[in-house]
């Protein structure tokens, strides 16, 4: 009789956003007359930028002609896209990243879940608490996290770095030494950031203890403040300790189109073994590349028009963030985030738990958000609203919440 990967049985419940979708669906079925506004999952609502759409059309037409048709993409992604990434995301910030250090993929979610595969099963992971659930769940599936306690909401072998109001929602160095450190800035879910000096301390710490930092910079395009680093490689020594994950979902609305990339510098080594070559091996074996048309669409994001149009989209979402933040603050809520990130992190009123507030908001205001405790035990008593809704819905949602 075959055996299953029993680590899957350790996972409590289903994926956070699937749980929420089920609850919202049930509410909608029971209350068909109510207009539910969804500010839960961080999914974009604006259509793809015109420059992206025209690149998609053009690439699709190329696929219809024998001479320009494309089959499998090169293992690491098309060079035309990797050159643009190296130039616009890195060189423009004073960072040299070689083309063979960039791995184009179908998005940062898959990369953030898969990257743990190239590390030993007995590595200890450290995560922010609260945290994007994929980092922890993928390590659970790999058997790296020990046993789950429903009482504490924690895994026995995971090192948690609480990010609370006391720490300005930033992590502090853990007391136990980790092997793999997951950092995400601007942060999902709290919307917090750290400045370059602080990130440099993390890089120095990882280099000192021989840990790897898995740096999720999916929300980089939302940074508005000067001193916030756009890539971890702005820090000295990061190439010997950090992997960076990037996404086209949030900066260019590719959530349904799927495109991302991972950077693994060749200087990042475990002894003599370069992690770049391990990931190249993994990529070559398990992935056949993001589709040509999507990579061509991604390249359009870097054109002058593409940059202008995607900047306008980001400004639109950040205006929603302002509406949420100012609206809630004026109603007496304690709110953070929303300045360098499209997420607003609020303290639930009247000592409600995160899920109590979720139910309350859904029932009384017909607004969907994400319970903070779904991101980890330190998220209890908090709630996340996304700025990715339409402006009209965002305004209406905040008006409804203010009336409660
Ligand atoms: C979120 O809501 O946290 C994001 O949409 C998750 C993701 O990007 O996969």
């Amino acid at each position: 009789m075959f055996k299953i990967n029993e680590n899957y049985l350790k996972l409590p419940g289903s994926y956070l956003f699937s749980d929420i979708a089920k609850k919202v669906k049930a509410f909608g079925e029971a209350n068909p007359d109510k207009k539910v506004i969804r500010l839960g999952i961080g999914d974009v609502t604006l259509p793809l930028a015109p420059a992206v759409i025209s690149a998609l059309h053009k690439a699709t037409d190329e696929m219809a002609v024998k001479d320009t048709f494309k089959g499998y993409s090169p293992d690491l992604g098309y060079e035309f896209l990797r050159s643009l990434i190296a130039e616009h995301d890195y060189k423009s910030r004073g960072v040299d990243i070689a083309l063979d250090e960039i791995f184009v993929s179908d998005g940062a979610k898959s990369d953030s879940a898969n990257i743990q595969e190239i590390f030993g099963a007995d590595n200890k992971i450290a995560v922010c608490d609260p945290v994007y659930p994929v980092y922890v769940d993928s390590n659970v599936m790999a058997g790296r996290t020990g046993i789950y306690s429903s009482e504490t909401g924690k895994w026995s072998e995971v090192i948690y770095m609480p990010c609370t109001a006391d720490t300005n929602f930033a992590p502090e160095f853990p007391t136990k030494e980790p092997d793999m450190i997951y950092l995400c800035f601007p942060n999902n879910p709290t919307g917090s950031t750290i400045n370059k000096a602080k990130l440099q301390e993390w890089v120095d710490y990882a280099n000192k203890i021989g840990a790897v930092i898995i740096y999720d910079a999916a929300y980089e395009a939302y940074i508005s403040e000067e001193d916030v680093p756009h890539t971890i490689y702005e820090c000295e020594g990061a190439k010997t300790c950090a992997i960076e994950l990037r996404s086209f979902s949030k900066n260019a609305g590719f959530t349904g189109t799927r495109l991302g990339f991972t950077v693994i510098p060749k200087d990042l080594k475990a002894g003599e073994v370069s992690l770049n070559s391990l990931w190249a091996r993994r990529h070559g074996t398990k992935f056949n590349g993001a589709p040509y048309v999507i990579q061509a669409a991604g390249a359009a994001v870097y054109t002058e028009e593409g940059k202008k149009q995607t900047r306008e989209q980001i400004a639109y979402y950040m205006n929603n963030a302002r509406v949420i933040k100012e609206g809630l603050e004026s109603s007496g809520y304690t709110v953070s985030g929303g300045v360098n990130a499209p997420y607003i992190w609020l303290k639930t009123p009247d000592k409600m738990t995160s899920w109590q507030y979720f139910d309350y908001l859904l029932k009384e205001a017909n607004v969907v958000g994400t319970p903070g405790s779904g991101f980890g035990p330190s998220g209890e008593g908090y709630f996340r609203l996304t700025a990715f809704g339409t402006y009209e819905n965002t305004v209406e949602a905040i008006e409804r919440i203010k009336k409660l």
Side-chain angles (χ1 to χ4, degrees):
M1 177 68 184
F2 64 83
K3 299 197 174 50
I4 57 162
N5 175 353
E6 298 215 351
N7 292 318
Y8 277 68
L9 303 181
K10 298 179 192 163
L11 289 162
S14 46
Y15 183 57
L16 173 63
F17 294 105
S18 316
D19 276 346
I20 292 172
K22 270 185 227 145
K23 275 191 170 241
V24 175
K25 185 163 180 272
F27 180 85
E29 281 162 9
N31 301 276
D33 54 321
K34 298 273 197 299
K35 179 190 163 200
V36 174
I37 299 180
R38 290 176 169 77
L39 302 181
I41 191 161
D43 196 3
V44 294
T45 48
L46 289 175
L48 291 168
V52 171
I53 290 294
S54 79
L56 269 173
H57 282 299
K58 182 167 169 283
T60 306
D61 288 342
E62 283 169 30
M63 294 299 269
V65 176
K66 192 164 178 288
D67 287 348
T68 49
F69 168 79
K70 305 274 190 303
Y72 292 127
S73 132
D75 270 6
L76 269 53
Y78 284 99
E79 207 171 304
F80 65 77
L81 180 58
R82 286 182 292 127
S83 310
L84 289 166
I85 291 169
E87 180 66 30
H88 295 264
D89 289 309
Y90 295 103
K91 211 170 195 80
S92 67
R93 306 218 166 261
V95 175
D96 273 326
I97 295 291
L99 297 197
D100 58 357
E101 295 177 318
I102 300 168
F103 298 80
V104 173
S105 72
D106 64 351
K109 181 175 184 176
S110 351
D111 283 354
S112 68
N114 292 330
I115 195 73
Q116 47 76 29
E117 258 188 64
I118 60 170
F119 296 97
D122 54 355
N123 278 348
K124 280 260 183 309
I125 68 159
V127 293
C128 291
D129 170 23
V131 70
Y132 179 44
V134 173
Y135 313 149
V136 176
D137 286 3
S138 57
N139 277 285
V140 173
M141 293 167 178
R144 214 174 267 121
T145 55
I147 298 155
Y148 182 71
S149 156
S150 51
E151 216 162 281
T152 61
K154 291 184 178 177
W155 295 89
S156 59
E157 299 302 316
V158 172
I159 300 168
Y160 290 88
M161 303 181 289
C163 299
T164 62
D166 293 340
T167 67
N168 242 336
F169 301 105
E172 289 181 345
F173 296 122
T175 42
K176 275 196 245 159
E177 269 189 16
D179 303 300
M180 296 155 64
I181 304 165
Y182 285 86
L183 294 179
C184 170
F185 289 111
N187 187 258
N188 178 15
T190 66
S192 68
T193 44
I194 56 174
N195 64 22
K196 188 167 164 196
K198 191 74 213 169
L199 187 58
Q200 182 67 57
E201 285 179 28
W202 278 97
V203 167
D204 295 343
Y205 169 77
N207 275 322
K208 189 170 122 223
I209 66 168
V212 62
I213 296 176
I214 297 164
Y215 192 74
D216 185 346
Y219 299 93
E220 172 275 333
Y222 290 82
I223 294 171
S224 68
E225 290 179 326
E226 263 308 294
D227 195 25
V228 180
H230 286 252
T231 156
I232 194 167
Y233 303 116
E234 286 176 40
C235 297
E236 213 171 302
K239 284 191 179 174
T240 54
C241 69
I243 292 175
E244 182 162 286
L245 312 173
R246 298 282 283 258
S247 166
F248 283 75
S249 289
K250 318 290 169 162
N251 65 338
F254 276 51
T255 53
T257 315
R258 308 309 306 151
L259 190 65
F261 61 92
T262 286
V263 173
I264 309 190
K266 280 173 280 185
D267 289 345
L268 179 49
K269 290 184 177 162
E272 289 303 300
V273 182
S274 110
L275 296 190
N276 180 289
S277 63
L278 294 189
W279 190 244
R281 185 72 175 84
R282 190 258 170 216
H283 219 58
T285 304
K286 295 197 174 183
F287 188 59
N288 255 338
Y292 168 69
V293 291
I294 306 298
Q295 295 194 50
V301 172
Y302 295 100
T303 60
E304 281 314 310
E305 289 178 280
K307 279 199 221 170
K308 181 169 168 287
Q309 292 162 357
T310 52
R311 263 201 304 268
E312 282 165 8
Q313 296 183 335
I314 290 162
Y316 173 93
Y317 293 132
M318 287 312 276
N319 185 48
N320 288 348
R322 186 190 56 76
V323 166
I324 300 174
K325 195 167 153 66
E326 291 177 2
L328 293 178
E329 276 168 352
S330 73
S331 295
Y333 279 86
T334 306
V335 185
S336 59
V339 175
N340 294 297
Y343 294 125
I344 283 84
W345 190 241
L346 58 115
K347 206 161 163 37
T348 59
D350 304 327
K351 296 203 161 52
M352 275 189 247
T353 66
S354 301
W355 277 108
Q356 279 167 347
Y357 188 65
F358 173 91
D359 290 332
Y360 171 74
L361 214 58
L362 180 58
K363 183 157 170 271
E364 304 300 333
N366 311 142
V367 171
V368 181
T370 310
S373 56
F375 297 101
S378 294
E380 184 56 279
Y382 284 87
F383 200 73
R384 192 193 77 176
L385 291 174
T386 155
F388 285 125
T390 65
Y391 173 71
E392 293 73 19
N393 278 348
T394 304
V395 169
E396 188 176 338
I398 297 306
E399 285 310 313
R400 289 188 200 167
I401 296 174
K402 280 164 93 173
K403 284 203 195 106
L404 290 177

